[in-house]
Amino acid sequence: SDEAGLATPLALAVKQLGSPSDDEIERLEEFVDESLYQGNSTDRRRFLQSSVDHAVRLSMTFWSDEMQRQGSSQGRAAAAAAPLLAQTCRRCWPDRCPWNECWSEQHSLESWRAYNYPHVTAVYWSLYRLGRRFRPARVRRHGWRWYLQRALGTAMGMWEHGGEVFPHEQQRVAGRAWSKVGNGQGTAQWGLMVGSIFESLLLDLLLEGWANEAAELQQVMERRVHRWLSMPFPYGSEFAWDNTGHEEIATWLLAYGHGAQAAQTADAVSAYTSLSPHWAYCGSPAPRGGLC
């Protein structure tokens, strides 16, 4: 996820399904209500996800002109809370920062990157199962239906809000919207890291008898599968050099009976992975961070 702070709740949520802890579950539910989901709050900026349309912002972290001023209250607070971030941003703000550092608040609130939606879906789905599959239910703040609805809304939000990887610079400067956002364009058409959670969600919607909701999600996923099958190589991610899409693509191809294409996706991984059992040997992928 673009929001690095989401990694811990994601891991903690999935962990509960095999080794639940009441204290950890309470912390997860607190995280959902106070940091993740906007709920009835009118302050969108305090939350990762909107309660209006399930849009997931890029990150809770941002930089500003006020933080840039070392003597200001915000500048002192930022330096105390995140000294390395302050050191980095004060060297490059406002127009010399790399694309992945020191985002403005406006940029942090953008919701176009589909990659950010499976992680949030997995948190809700895990809490749904803790409320539905355990007796007594292990969740307290919301019922299992609420968590299942949030998981579904987030999965559909991926399709609704996903868009181009980057806007044209002139559009960013002018403050205009991108030409390709929503309806499966841009990042929403590719496989996503942790995207296999969508199949688990679909199966549970069917199991619960939520036929209309399941049909809506299934239609979206089938459109994505159709896109992959139209390609000479049925795999891909938002970046040509990335391999994060392989997991979800293979999952859905197998689910819809396209075994040969799923095998081709797995073969692609084997082709660029060294036979030596060591993470540092990457084979042929471009040497970009995290690909090994």
Side-chain angles (χ1 to χ4, degrees), residues 6-249:
L6 188 58
T8 299
L10 172 61
L12 194 62
V14 177
K15 176 261 182 188
Q16 302 310 311
L17 300 179
S19 180
S21 161
D22 289 337
D23 180 63
E24 292 172 351
I25 294 169
E26 170 56 28
R27 291 174 182 270
L28 274 171
E29 292 197 280
E30 180 182 7
F31 163 73
V32 169
D33 284 351
E34 298 185 11
S35 297
L36 178 55
Y37 189 67
Q38 181 183 354
N40 295 325
S41 174
T42 58
D43 188 359
R44 172 69 181 92
R45 298 180 303 170
R46 289 184 50 242
F47 299 89
L48 189 63
Q49 185 176 36
S50 168
S51 56
V52 176
D53 55 9
H54 288 92
V56 178
R57 64 188 289 182
L58 296 182
S59 179
M60 296 287 285
T61 303
F62 60 87
W63 198 251
S64 69
D65 292 339
E66 186 65 21
M67 294 176 184
Q68 185 72 3
R69 291 190 278 272
Q70 299 186 34
S72 69
S73 59
Q74 289 189 27
R76 292 192 298 270
L84 293 179
L85 176 67
Q87 183 181 19
T88 298
C89 294
R90 284 174 178 157
R91 286 199 301 261
C92 66
W93 184 266
D95 54 8
R96 293 182 291 107
C97 300
W99 68 268
N100 59 343
E101 293 181 355
C102 307
W103 291 344
S104 67
E105 183 176 18
Q106 178 183 359
H107 184 42
S108 77
L109 284 164
E110 294 166 3
S111 57
W112 54 269
R113 197 174 184 206
Y115 173 70
N116 294 321
Y117 289 78
H119 307 79
V120 176
T121 302
V123 171
Y124 290 133
W125 175 81
S126 298
L127 289 167
Y128 147 72
R129 285 215 160 189
L130 288 168
R132 184 58 160 160
R133 301 295 179 89
F134 288 76
R135 292 292 181 271
R138 304 302 290 262
V139 292
R140 294 291 181 267
R141 295 198 178 199
H142 304 283
W144 65 265
R145 291 179 179 83
W146 189 90
Y147 286 115
L148 187 58
Q149 288 169 344
R150 299 288 77 75
L152 173 63
T154 305
M156 296 304 299
M158 176 276 296
W159 181 260
E160 179 182 353
H161 303 293
E164 292 285 12
V165 176
F166 299 108
H168 297 297
E169 186 60 28
Q170 60 268 28
Q171 290 180 318
R172 179 185 293 280
V173 172
R176 297 197 300 270
W178 297 298
S179 58
K180 291 185 178 180
V181 175
N183 197 31
Q185 300 185 86
T187 57
Q189 65 183 308
W190 307 120
L192 304 170
M193 183 187 294
V194 196
S196 53
I197 188 63
F198 297 140
E199 186 200 23
S200 299
L201 173 59
L202 176 60
L203 292 175
D204 280 337
L205 290 170
L206 292 169
L207 187 63
E208 296 292 356
W210 290 25
N212 293 336
E213 293 84 352
E216 184 181 19
L217 181 61
Q218 186 167 4
Q219 182 181 38
V220 164
M221 297 307 159
E222 287 177 352
R223 291 179 65 179
R224 297 172 76 220
V225 169
H226 179 75
R227 168 73 174 117
W228 303 333
L229 292 175
S230 71
M231 303 167 64
F233 301 102
Y235 50 82
S237 183
E238 58 183 326
F239 300 115
W241 42 262
D242 203 349
N243 57 16
T244 53
H246 291 45
E247 165 215 342
E248 185 191 7
I249 289 176

